[in-house]
Amino acid sequence: MDREVQFIGQSGAFLDAVERASRAAPMRRPVLVIGERGTGKELIAERLHRLSTRWQEPLVTMNCAALPETLIEAELFGHEAGAFTGATRSRVGRFEEADRGTLFLDELGTLSMGAQERLLRAVEYGEVTRIGSSKPVRVDVRIVAATNEDLPRMAEQGRFRADLLDRLSFEVITLPPLRVREGDIAVLADYFGRRMAAELHWDAWPGFAPQTQRAMEEYPWPGNVRELRNAVERAVYRWDDWSTPIAHVQFDPFESPWKPAASTRTDTAESESAPTPRSAGPHDFDGVSDLRAAVDAHERAIIEHHLGRNRYNQRQTAKALGLTYDQLRHCMKKHGLMERG
């Protein structure tokens, strides 16, 4: 598989999901892929197709959330000329395009009830009827669908057809979020970092500084692998000196002291949201048994973070922390950071 669809990871949870996909690939049955955004649902769908007997046939992808409800059925099943306003000629739908191959339906949970009913018939009987036609067309399509929704709960609430869910869930592959993939953050960060360094024609790969590695391990990654890739590539291209380890990564690209306030705020709300000194987030205070060591470790982490953010410019770092240059130098000496600085 080419470089854009490689599976990178070593955690048991991740490898189990990939192995399940490999076992299901040769089957002709439908597969549901469940996972948070950025966990690689489309990569699993491609793996299911490439390892199947249909690998030489089309893999057709349709994002069900990208189209208005009025057009979804026409996209899926096609239409005849004059079937509705603007339909000047006949058009085949995604099912006919994917005949003898695989149809990947992304964001399945956004399908309307009407589209679900017609999809159920296509899955059950292997035939589709174009809008504006009364003649069904036989198709041989393997369905792979993906969503980040809780489909069983939606079915209980009447928002998703339970009979369609039964027919699509021959196999269900649930992808683990990045935050539970033990050891994979470091592996993925190194992989994406090396790729970006090669793209920038760096002479060598310096790796990440220890505090940067810790920050990436502790971050929850709500956007999973996609968010990690963006953060790593952004950190690499912003780093000026390829001979020293990358010492800063910005998780939120919108973070800025000049971020504009929302225009709908009232004067009172603006006054209440006036900038205040930033403090650290919550910590496990129950686990602190040595106050002095805990305070020192926290102070060192703050200094390392701001040194990396300011590319080890000590005067800018001191200004950012509200310290004098001499005070910062004293703290760096205290924590053994002088050599790196």
Side-chain angles (χ1 to χ4, degrees):
M1 302 177 77
D2 68 38
R3 59 180 287 171
E4 296 303 323
V5 294
Q6 292 186 55
F7 286 92
I8 308 297
Q10 61 186 15
S11 67
F14 171 73
L15 294 178
D16 285 346
V18 175
E19 173 62 19
R20 180 172 291 189
S22 301
R23 289 176 63 89
M27 306 296 292
R28 298 167 59 91
R29 305 293 193 277
V31 177
L32 271 179
V33 185
I34 312 294
E36 298 178 6
R37 62 187 174 95
T39 49
K41 297 187 290 294
E42 190 165 352
L43 297 185
I44 289 292
E46 179 148 355
R47 187 176 187 85
L48 287 164
H49 177 71
R50 298 300 177 198
L51 297 183
S52 75
T53 57
R54 301 167 179 256
W55 64 275
Q56 290 182 308
E57 302 298 339
L59 169 62
V60 177
T61 299
M62 175 174 164
N63 187 334
C64 301
L67 293 169
E69 184 176 333
T70 53
L71 293 180
I72 287 178
E73 292 188 47
E75 283 291 323
L76 275 175
F77 309 112
H79 60 78
E80 297 291 351
F84 50 84
T85 303
T88 57
R89 58 181 180 178
S90 299
R91 183 184 174 210
V92 300
R94 302 297 175 91
F95 265 94
E96 292 182 71
E97 290 178 2
D99 190 24
R100 296 180 306 205
T102 304
L103 176 60
F104 175 49
L105 299 176
D106 201 6
E107 303 292 348
L108 178 72
T110 63
L111 276 181
S112 66
M113 295 300 287
Q116 290 178 36
E117 184 175 355
R118 297 195 64 183
L119 177 60
L120 172 63
R121 182 173 181 81
V123 174
E124 183 74 12
Y125 299 107
E127 60 182 31
V128 297
T129 304
R130 296 181 188 178
I131 296 176
S133 172
S134 58
K135 183 180 178 181
V137 178
R138 297 288 299 178
V139 290
D140 175 18
V141 175
R142 199 255 185 104
I143 302 289
V144 177
T147 184
N148 57 8
E149 300 281 355
D150 186 344
L151 292 184
R153 174 173 291 184
M154 290 179 64
E156 291 176 1
Q157 296 171 347
R159 295 188 294 125
F160 196 88
R161 292 185 63 104
D163 45 2
L164 176 60
L165 181 60
D166 291 339
R167 284 163 177 78
L168 293 180
S169 57
F170 167 78
E171 178 63 284
V172 179
I173 300 172
T174 303
L175 300 180
L178 185 57
R179 59 184 174 274
V180 303
R181 291 171 52 176
E182 186 176 356
D184 282 357
I185 291 175
V187 173
L188 285 161
D190 186 74
Y191 173 75
F192 292 136
R194 288 178 182 274
R195 279 191 12 174
M196 192 64 184
E199 185 177 331
L200 297 171
H201 306 292
W202 284 10
D203 291 343
W205 169 240
F208 295 98
Q211 74 273 13
T212 309
Q213 295 175 1
R214 287 196 302 270
M216 289 191 291
E217 292 288 348
E218 294 169 359
Y219 185 69
W221 300 111
N224 293 289
V225 178
R226 187 182 298 118
E227 183 183 11
L228 172 65
R229 175 178 174 174
N230 284 340
V232 167
E233 292 182 346
R234 184 166 56 243
V236 173
Y237 109 87
R238 288 180 177 179
W239 195 248
D240 294 329
D241 185 3
W242 57 263
S243 65
T244 60
I246 298 166
H248 179 67
V249 58
Q250 184 180 15
F251 299 115
D252 181 5
F254 297 96
E255 179 186 357
S256 171
W258 303 283
K259 181 189 291 187
S263 59
T264 57
R265 289 184 179 178
T266 62
D267 293 340
T268 302
E270 288 178 355
S271 63
E272 290 176 352
S273 62
T276 56
R278 298 177 62 183
S279 59
H283 293 272
D284 180 16
F285 296 122
D286 292 336
V288 175
S289 59
D290 186 332
L291 178 61
R292 187 178 298 279
V295 170
D296 285 346
H298 192 52
E299 183 179 78
R300 178 191 172 104
I302 292 173
I303 294 171
E304 283 183 324
H305 171 82
H306 282 277
L307 281 169
R309 184 172 188 174
N310 291 283
R311 294 177 170 80
Y312 287 97
N313 184 307
Q314 295 176 21
R315 294 194 182 278
Q316 290 184 9
T317 302
K319 184 177 179 180
L321 291 172
L323 301 174
T324 66
Y325 176 73
D326 290 336
Q327 287 172 329
L328 175 66
R329 297 277 296 181
H330 173 76
C331 289
M332 291 176 63
K333 183 177 181 180
K334 172 185 174 183
H335 295 295
L337 301 173
M338 289 296 291
E339 181 177 350
R340 189 182 304 169

